[in-house]
mmCIF file of all heavy atoms in Angstrom:
data_model
loop_
_atom_site.group_PDB
_atom_site.id
_atom_site.type_symbol
_atom_site.label_atom_id
_atom_site.label_comp_id
_atom_site.label_asym_id
_atom_site.label_seq_id
_atom_site.Cartn_x
_atom_site.Cartn_y
_atom_site.Cartn_z
ATOM 1 N N MET M 693 20.457 89.546 -9.910
ATOM 2 C CA MET M 693 21.344 88.973 -8.910
ATOM 3 C C MET M 693 20.784 87.682 -8.345
ATOM 4 O O MET M 693 21.083 87.265 -7.255
ATOM 5 C CB MET M 693 21.560 89.980 -7.774
ATOM 6 C CG MET M 693 22.483 91.106 -8.156
ATOM 7 S SD MET M 693 24.140 90.470 -8.554
ATOM 8 C CE MET M 693 24.597 91.571 -9.880
ATOM 9 N N SER M 694 19.882 87.043 -9.119
ATOM 10 C CA SER M 694 19.273 85.812 -8.609
ATOM 11 C C SER M 694 20.232 84.640 -8.757
ATOM 12 O O SER M 694 20.016 83.586 -8.174
ATOM 13 C CB SER M 694 17.997 85.527 -9.399
ATOM 14 O OG SER M 694 18.323 85.472 -10.779
ATOM 15 N N ASP M 695 21.312 84.809 -9.554
ATOM 16 C CA ASP M 695 22.219 83.699 -9.826
ATOM 17 C C ASP M 695 23.399 83.680 -8.859
ATOM 18 O O ASP M 695 24.448 83.117 -9.169
ATOM 19 C CB ASP M 695 22.726 83.772 -11.270
ATOM 20 C CG ASP M 695 23.503 85.045 -11.523
ATOM 21 O OD1 ASP M 695 23.338 85.998 -10.722
ATOM 22 O OD2 ASP M 695 24.280 85.092 -12.484
ATOM 23 N N ILE M 696 23.259 84.302 -7.698
ATOM 24 C CA ILE M 696 24.387 84.350 -6.765
ATOM 25 C C ILE M 696 24.908 82.960 -6.383
ATOM 26 O O ILE M 696 26.112 82.746 -6.401
ATOM 27 C CB ILE M 696 24.027 85.185 -5.509
ATOM 28 C CG1 ILE M 696 23.905 86.654 -5.928
ATOM 29 C CG2 ILE M 696 25.094 85.043 -4.422
ATOM 30 C CD1 ILE M 696 23.503 87.586 -4.819
ATOM 31 N N PRO M 697 24.004 81.983 -6.078
ATOM 32 C CA PRO M 697 24.552 80.652 -5.763
ATOM 33 C C PRO M 697 25.443 80.095 -6.872
ATOM 34 O O PRO M 697 26.506 79.541 -6.591
ATOM 35 C CB PRO M 697 23.290 79.798 -5.564
ATOM 36 C CG PRO M 697 22.278 80.784 -5.076
ATOM 37 C CD PRO M 697 22.563 82.069 -5.838
ATOM 38 N N ALA M 698 25.031 80.277 -8.124
ATOM 39 C CA ALA M 698 25.848 79.757 -9.231
ATOM 40 C C ALA M 698 27.183 80.500 -9.296
ATOM 41 O O ALA M 698 28.223 79.889 -9.564
ATOM 42 C CB ALA M 698 25.095 79.927 -10.552
ATOM 43 N N ARG M 699 27.139 81.800 -9.040
ATOM 44 C CA ARG M 699 28.393 82.570 -9.069
ATOM 45 C C ARG M 699 29.303 82.166 -7.909
ATOM 46 O O ARG M 699 30.531 82.148 -8.050
ATOM 47 C CB ARG M 699 28.088 84.076 -9.011
ATOM 48 C CG ARG M 699 27.429 84.580 -10.306
ATOM 49 C CD ARG M 699 27.145 86.062 -10.219
ATOM 50 N NE ARG M 699 28.376 86.835 -9.976
ATOM 51 C CZ ARG M 699 28.380 88.095 -9.571
ATOM 52 N NH1 ARG M 699 27.229 88.715 -9.325
ATOM 53 N NH2 ARG M 699 29.503 88.736 -9.382
ATOM 54 N N LEU M 700 28.689 81.859 -6.774
ATOM 55 C CA LEU M 700 29.498 81.398 -5.629
ATOM 56 C C LEU M 700 30.153 80.042 -5.948
ATOM 57 O O LEU M 700 31.307 79.816 -5.616
ATOM 58 C CB LEU M 700 28.624 81.273 -4.381
ATOM 59 C CG LEU M 700 28.218 82.607 -3.737
ATOM 60 C CD1 LEU M 700 27.119 82.373 -2.696
ATOM 61 C CD2 LEU M 700 29.425 83.277 -3.065
ATOM 62 N N ALA M 701 29.389 79.191 -6.619
ATOM 63 C CA ALA M 701 29.934 77.857 -6.959
ATOM 64 C C ALA M 701 31.160 78.023 -7.860
ATOM 65 O O ALA M 701 32.093 77.222 -7.800
ATOM 66 C CB ALA M 701 28.865 77.020 -7.649
ATOM 67 N N ALA M 702 31.157 79.085 -8.679
ATOM 68 C CA ALA M 702 32.281 79.319 -9.591
ATOM 69 C C ALA M 702 33.530 79.774 -8.837
ATOM 70 O O ALA M 702 34.623 79.799 -9.386
ATOM 71 C CB ALA M 702 31.901 80.349 -10.650
ATOM 72 N N LEU M 703 33.366 80.144 -7.553
ATOM 73 C CA LEU M 703 34.538 80.533 -6.743
ATOM 74 C C LEU M 703 35.310 79.323 -6.246
ATOM 75 O O LEU M 703 36.408 79.448 -5.715
ATOM 76 C CB LEU M 703 34.109 81.382 -5.536
ATOM 77 C CG LEU M 703 33.596 82.781 -5.824
ATOM 78 C CD1 LEU M 703 33.273 83.491 -4.519
ATOM 79 C CD2 LEU M 703 34.586 83.593 -6.637
ATOM 80 N N ARG M 704 34.694 78.153 -6.436
ATOM 81 C CA ARG M 704 35.408 76.931 -6.041
ATOM 82 C C ARG M 704 36.573 76.726 -7.009
ATOM 83 O O ARG M 704 36.422 76.896 -8.210
ATOM 84 C CB ARG M 704 34.483 75.740 -6.088
ATOM 85 C CG ARG M 704 35.113 74.476 -5.543
ATOM 86 C CD ARG M 704 34.138 73.301 -5.703
ATOM 87 N NE ARG M 704 34.860 72.064 -5.500
ATOM 88 C CZ ARG M 704 34.752 71.320 -4.408
ATOM 89 N NH1 ARG M 704 33.943 71.669 -3.437
ATOM 90 N NH2 ARG M 704 35.447 70.204 -4.285
ATOM 91 N N GLU M 705 37.730 76.406 -6.488
ATOM 92 C CA GLU M 705 38.878 76.167 -7.364
ATOM 93 C C GLU M 705 39.739 75.039 -6.817
ATOM 94 O O GLU M 705 39.633 74.669 -5.639
ATOM 95 C CB GLU M 705 39.709 77.439 -7.518
ATOM 96 C CG GLU M 705 40.240 77.999 -6.222
ATOM 97 C CD GLU M 705 40.927 79.366 -6.441
ATOM 98 O OE1 GLU M 705 42.105 79.336 -6.789
ATOM 99 O OE2 GLU M 705 40.259 80.405 -6.279
ATOM 100 N N ALA M 706 40.559 74.503 -7.699
ATOM 101 C CA ALA M 706 41.431 73.402 -7.289
ATOM 102 C C ALA M 706 42.519 73.934 -6.365
ATOM 103 O O ALA M 706 43.015 75.047 -6.553
ATOM 104 C CB ALA M 706 42.051 72.760 -8.513
ATOM 105 N N ALA M 707 42.871 73.152 -5.371
ATOM 106 C CA ALA M 707 43.987 73.531 -4.500
ATOM 107 C C ALA M 707 45.280 73.523 -5.315
ATOM 108 O O ALA M 707 45.391 72.771 -6.277
ATOM 109 C CB ALA M 707 44.094 72.529 -3.336
ATOM 110 N N PRO M 708 46.264 74.363 -4.956
ATOM 111 C CA PRO M 708 47.543 74.328 -5.676
ATOM 112 C C PRO M 708 48.144 72.924 -5.635
ATOM 113 O O PRO M 708 47.997 72.228 -4.627
ATOM 114 C CB PRO M 708 48.416 75.316 -4.906
ATOM 115 C CG PRO M 708 47.527 76.067 -3.992
ATOM 116 C CD PRO M 708 46.266 75.297 -3.831
ATOM 117 N N ALA M 709 48.818 72.565 -6.721
ATOM 118 C CA ALA M 709 49.301 71.173 -6.850
ATOM 119 C C ALA M 709 50.265 70.776 -5.739
ATOM 120 O O ALA M 709 50.360 69.599 -5.402
ATOM 121 C CB ALA M 709 49.972 71.008 -8.217
ATOM 122 N N HIS M 710 50.968 71.751 -5.158
ATOM 123 C CA HIS M 710 51.965 71.393 -4.149
ATOM 124 C C HIS M 710 51.338 71.118 -2.766
ATOM 125 O O HIS M 710 52.018 70.663 -1.863
ATOM 126 C CB HIS M 710 53.006 72.504 -4.023
ATOM 127 C CG HIS M 710 52.422 73.818 -3.602
ATOM 128 N ND1 HIS M 710 52.252 74.158 -2.285
ATOM 129 C CD2 HIS M 710 51.936 74.856 -4.316
ATOM 130 C CE1 HIS M 710 51.689 75.358 -2.223
ATOM 131 N NE2 HIS M 710 51.491 75.801 -3.451
ATOM 132 N N LEU M 711 50.036 71.415 -2.640
ATOM 133 C CA LEU M 711 49.445 71.355 -1.301
ATOM 134 C C LEU M 711 49.322 69.923 -0.768
ATOM 135 O O LEU M 711 49.695 69.656 0.390
ATOM 136 C CB LEU M 711 48.070 72.057 -1.323
ATOM 137 C CG LEU M 711 47.474 72.440 0.036
ATOM 138 C CD1 LEU M 711 48.468 73.227 0.889
ATOM 139 C CD2 LEU M 711 46.189 73.249 -0.151
ATOM 140 N N VAL M 712 48.825 69.009 -1.590
ATOM 141 C CA VAL M 712 48.675 67.620 -1.108
ATOM 142 C C VAL M 712 50.040 67.034 -0.704
ATOM 143 O O VAL M 712 50.172 66.496 0.408
ATOM 144 C CB VAL M 712 47.967 66.734 -2.161
ATOM 145 C CG1 VAL M 712 48.073 65.253 -1.763
ATOM 146 C CG2 VAL M 712 46.505 67.128 -2.301
ATOM 147 N N PRO M 713 51.059 67.135 -1.564
ATOM 148 C CA PRO M 713 52.369 66.609 -1.129
ATOM 149 C C PRO M 713 52.870 67.248 0.158
ATOM 150 O O PRO M 713 53.444 66.576 1.015
ATOM 151 C CB PRO M 713 53.298 66.940 -2.295
ATOM 152 C CG PRO M 713 52.403 67.082 -3.471
ATOM 153 C CD PRO M 713 51.100 67.588 -2.959
ATOM 154 N N GLU M 714 52.636 68.548 0.317
ATOM 155 C CA GLU M 714 53.111 69.228 1.529
ATOM 156 C C GLU M 714 52.396 68.743 2.766
ATOM 157 O O GLU M 714 53.020 68.513 3.813
ATOM 158 C CB GLU M 714 52.948 70.742 1.386
ATOM 159 C CG GLU M 714 54.124 71.375 0.663
ATOM 160 C CD GLU M 714 53.927 72.861 0.398
ATOM 161 O OE1 GLU M 714 53.054 73.486 1.047
ATOM 162 O OE2 GLU M 714 54.641 73.372 -0.483
ATOM 163 N N VAL M 715 51.082 68.579 2.634
ATOM 164 C CA VAL M 715 50.313 68.060 3.773
ATOM 165 C C VAL M 715 50.849 66.677 4.156
ATOM 166 O O VAL M 715 51.088 66.386 5.331
ATOM 167 C CB VAL M 715 48.813 67.975 3.417
ATOM 168 C CG1 VAL M 715 48.066 67.145 4.448
ATOM 169 C CG2 VAL M 715 48.186 69.367 3.320
ATOM 170 N N LEU M 716 51.046 65.836 3.145
ATOM 171 C CA LEU M 716 51.491 64.474 3.428
ATOM 172 C C LEU M 716 52.909 64.435 3.947
ATOM 173 O O LEU M 716 53.261 63.599 4.768
ATOM 174 C CB LEU M 716 51.318 63.587 2.187
ATOM 175 C CG LEU M 716 49.850 63.407 1.769
ATOM 176 C CD1 LEU M 716 49.745 62.592 0.497
ATOM 177 C CD2 LEU M 716 49.036 62.757 2.874
ATOM 178 N N ALA M 717 53.736 65.389 3.500
ATOM 179 C CA ALA M 717 55.112 65.452 4.021
ATOM 180 C C ALA M 717 55.076 65.783 5.515
ATOM 181 O O ALA M 717 55.841 65.241 6.304
ATOM 182 C CB ALA M 717 55.919 66.484 3.256
ATOM 183 N N ARG M 718 54.148 66.668 5.890
ATOM 184 C CA ARG M 718 54.086 67.046 7.306
ATOM 185 C C ARG M 718 53.597 65.904 8.188
ATOM 186 O O ARG M 718 53.900 65.869 9.378
ATOM 187 C CB ARG M 718 53.197 68.286 7.488
ATOM 188 C CG ARG M 718 53.900 69.554 7.028
ATOM 189 C CD ARG M 718 53.086 70.786 7.312
ATOM 190 N NE ARG M 718 52.931 71.062 8.734
ATOM 191 C CZ ARG M 718 52.199 72.058 9.213
ATOM 192 N NH1 ARG M 718 51.560 72.851 8.386
ATOM 193 N NH2 ARG M 718 52.092 72.254 10.511
ATOM 194 N N THR M 719 52.814 64.989 7.616
ATOM 195 C CA THR M 719 52.378 63.843 8.407
ATOM 196 C C THR M 719 53.365 62.691 8.279
ATOM 197 O O THR M 719 53.137 61.612 8.836
ATOM 198 C CB THR M 719 50.984 63.351 7.934
ATOM 199 O OG1 THR M 719 51.067 63.035 6.540
ATOM 200 C CG2 THR M 719 49.919 64.383 8.152
ATOM 201 N N GLY M 720 54.436 62.905 7.510
ATOM 202 C CA GLY M 720 55.413 61.829 7.332
ATOM 203 C C GLY M 720 54.983 60.805 6.306
ATOM 204 O O GLY M 720 55.583 59.744 6.183
ATOM 205 N N LEU M 721 53.942 61.121 5.519
ATOM 206 C CA LEU M 721 53.433 60.152 4.553
ATOM 207 C C LEU M 721 53.931 60.431 3.148
ATOM 208 O O LEU M 721 53.572 59.746 2.203
ATOM 209 C CB LEU M 721 51.899 60.123 4.562
ATOM 210 C CG LEU M 721 51.270 59.696 5.890
ATOM 211 C CD1 LEU M 721 49.756 59.786 5.822
ATOM 212 C CD2 LEU M 721 51.704 58.295 6.262
ATOM 213 N N ALA M 722 54.764 61.466 2.997
ATOM 214 C CA ALA M 722 55.359 61.729 1.684
ATOM 215 C C ALA M 722 56.870 61.671 1.829
ATOM 216 O O ALA M 722 57.400 61.837 2.924
ATOM 217 C CB ALA M 722 54.918 63.104 1.165
ATOM 218 N N ASP M 723 57.540 61.421 0.727
ATOM 219 C CA ASP M 723 58.998 61.370 0.737
ATOM 220 C C ASP M 723 59.550 62.687 0.184
ATOM 221 O O ASP M 723 58.799 63.550 -0.238
ATOM 222 C CB ASP M 723 59.464 60.180 -0.105
ATOM 223 C CG ASP M 723 58.919 58.874 0.482
ATOM 224 O OD1 ASP M 723 58.791 58.789 1.711
ATOM 225 O OD2 ASP M 723 58.603 57.971 -0.302
ATOM 226 N N HIS M 724 60.866 62.819 0.191
ATOM 227 C CA HIS M 724 61.505 64.052 -0.243
ATOM 228 C C HIS M 724 62.511 63.793 -1.352
ATOM 229 O O HIS M 724 62.959 62.662 -1.517
ATOM 230 C CB HIS M 724 62.211 64.698 0.952
ATOM 231 C CG HIS M 724 61.290 65.210 1.987
ATOM 232 N ND1 HIS M 724 60.720 64.378 2.939
ATOM 233 C CD2 HIS M 724 60.789 66.444 2.224
ATOM 234 C CE1 HIS M 724 59.923 65.102 3.716
ATOM 235 N NE2 HIS M 724 59.942 66.362 3.310
ATOM 236 N N TYR M 725 62.863 64.852 -2.069
ATOM 237 C CA TYR M 725 63.944 64.703 -3.054
ATOM 238 C C TYR M 725 64.769 65.970 -3.074
ATOM 239 O O TYR M 725 64.279 67.058 -2.737
ATOM 240 C CB TYR M 725 63.400 64.373 -4.439
ATOM 241 C CG TYR M 725 62.675 65.476 -5.154
ATOM 242 C CD1 TYR M 725 63.324 66.272 -6.100
ATOM 243 C CD2 TYR M 725 61.330 65.739 -4.900
ATOM 244 C CE1 TYR M 725 62.662 67.298 -6.764
ATOM 245 C CE2 TYR M 725 60.667 66.766 -5.556
ATOM 246 C CZ TYR M 725 61.330 67.535 -6.493
ATOM 247 O OH TYR M 725 60.677 68.537 -7.141
ATOM 248 N N ALA M 726 66.035 65.799 -3.465
ATOM 249 C CA ALA M 726 66.938 66.939 -3.563
ATOM 250 C C ALA M 726 67.589 66.933 -4.934
ATOM 251 O O ALA M 726 67.634 65.903 -5.610
ATOM 252 C CB ALA M 726 68.022 66.842 -2.484
ATOM 253 N N LEU M 727 68.062 68.106 -5.343
ATOM 254 C CA LEU M 727 68.763 68.257 -6.615
ATOM 255 C C LEU M 727 70.262 68.209 -6.343
ATOM 256 O O LEU M 727 70.783 69.001 -5.568
ATOM 257 C CB LEU M 727 68.377 69.620 -7.232
ATOM 258 C CG LEU M 727 69.002 69.977 -8.570
ATOM 259 C CD1 LEU M 727 68.531 69.028 -9.664
ATOM 260 C CD2 LEU M 727 68.639 71.405 -8.941
ATOM 261 N N LEU M 728 70.947 67.230 -6.953
ATOM 262 C CA LEU M 728 72.373 67.042 -6.685
ATOM 263 C C LEU M 728 73.157 66.971 -7.987
ATOM 264 O O LEU M 728 72.599 66.662 -9.041
ATOM 265 C CB LEU M 728 72.598 65.760 -5.872
ATOM 266 C CG LEU M 728 71.902 65.679 -4.511
ATOM 267 C CD1 LEU M 728 72.110 64.310 -3.909
ATOM 268 C CD2 LEU M 728 72.429 66.757 -3.573
ATOM 269 N N ALA M 729 74.452 67.223 -7.902
ATOM 270 C CA ALA M 729 75.312 67.095 -9.067
ATOM 271 C C ALA M 729 75.747 65.644 -9.229
ATOM 272 O O ALA M 729 75.917 64.944 -8.245
ATOM 273 C CB ALA M 729 76.536 68.000 -8.895
#
Side-chain angles (χ1 to χ4, degrees):
Chain M
M693 285 298 144
S694 56
D695 61 341
I696 291 177
R699 291 180 58 196
L700 286 168
L703 290 182
R704 187 184 166 106
E705 58 186 275
H710 61 88
L711 196 51
V712 169
E714 275 174 17
V715 166
L716 295 177
R718 285 185 67 184
T719 57
L721 298 177
D723 300 326
H724 292 81
Y725 71 97
L727 180 65
L728 301 174

